[in-house]
Amino acid sequence: QVQLVESGGGLVQAGGSLRLSCAASGRTFSNYAMGWFRQAPGREREFLSAIRWSGGSAFYADSRKGRFTISRDNAKNTVYLQMNSLAPEDTAVYYCALSTRPVKVALATTYDYWGQGTQVTVSS
């Protein structure tokens, strides 16, 4: 069993920054990736970034490369998403996820486990 718990969301003014965390517990996998998605009301779930746990290779949606940075802490089994220069259109529920077969990491169907999400609200 794997559990993922997101934290770090909240209210931030436009232009500000937030750092999201996702802590994983349960089974340990030899080769896996963790990723971040977001979903705003009335919109599809959007891929943001992913990272391979062992090697640390990172993947980003093209539109996210400049403002969002993914990182991990192996000792804490935690993945982070640093978000800078936030704008109101970034308002959404942000989810972390874990894939045991990290091939097409930009696809939500690649992921086996999901957190419950953390709300990010950016005011203008």
Side-chain angles (χ1 to χ4, degrees):
Q1 296 89 352
V2 173
Q3 297 83 41
L4 304 175
V5 180
E6 302 98 335
S7 62
L11 176 65
V12 64
Q13 296 184 44
S17 299
L18 284 175
R19 185 186 186 224
L20 306 182
S21 299
C22 177
S25 62
R27 292 178 59 190
T28 300
F29 301 96
S30 60
N31 181 31
Y32 65 97
M34 295 181 66
W36 287 97
F37 291 75
R38 70 183 182 189
Q39 188 164 25
R43 302 187 65 180
E44 298 293 322
R45 188 162 296 190
E46 177 187 9
F47 170 74
L48 300 173
S49 184
I51 189 167
R52 296 187 184 275
W53 203 251
S54 296
S57 299
F59 306 85
Y60 296 92
D62 289 342
S63 61
R64 307 274 78 81
K65 287 182 178 179
R67 299 190 296 122
F68 292 5
T69 303
I70 194 168
S71 62
R72 54 151 166 80
D73 186 330
N74 287 346
K76 297 181 179 180
N77 296 314
T78 299
V79 65
Y80 305 94
L81 186 69
Q82 178 69 43
M83 305 189 296
N84 299 323
S85 301
L86 289 166
E89 53 264 37
D90 295 314
T91 296
V93 177
Y94 285 69
Y95 298 90
C96 69
L98 185 150
S99 173
T100 60
R101 294 180 61 86
V103 180
K104 299 179 179 180
V105 296
L107 299 179
T109 52
T110 295
Y111 294 84
D112 305 286
Y113 304 97
W114 292 83
Q116 295 184 351
T118 185
Q119 176 71 45
V120 172
T121 302
V122 184
S123 64
S124 59

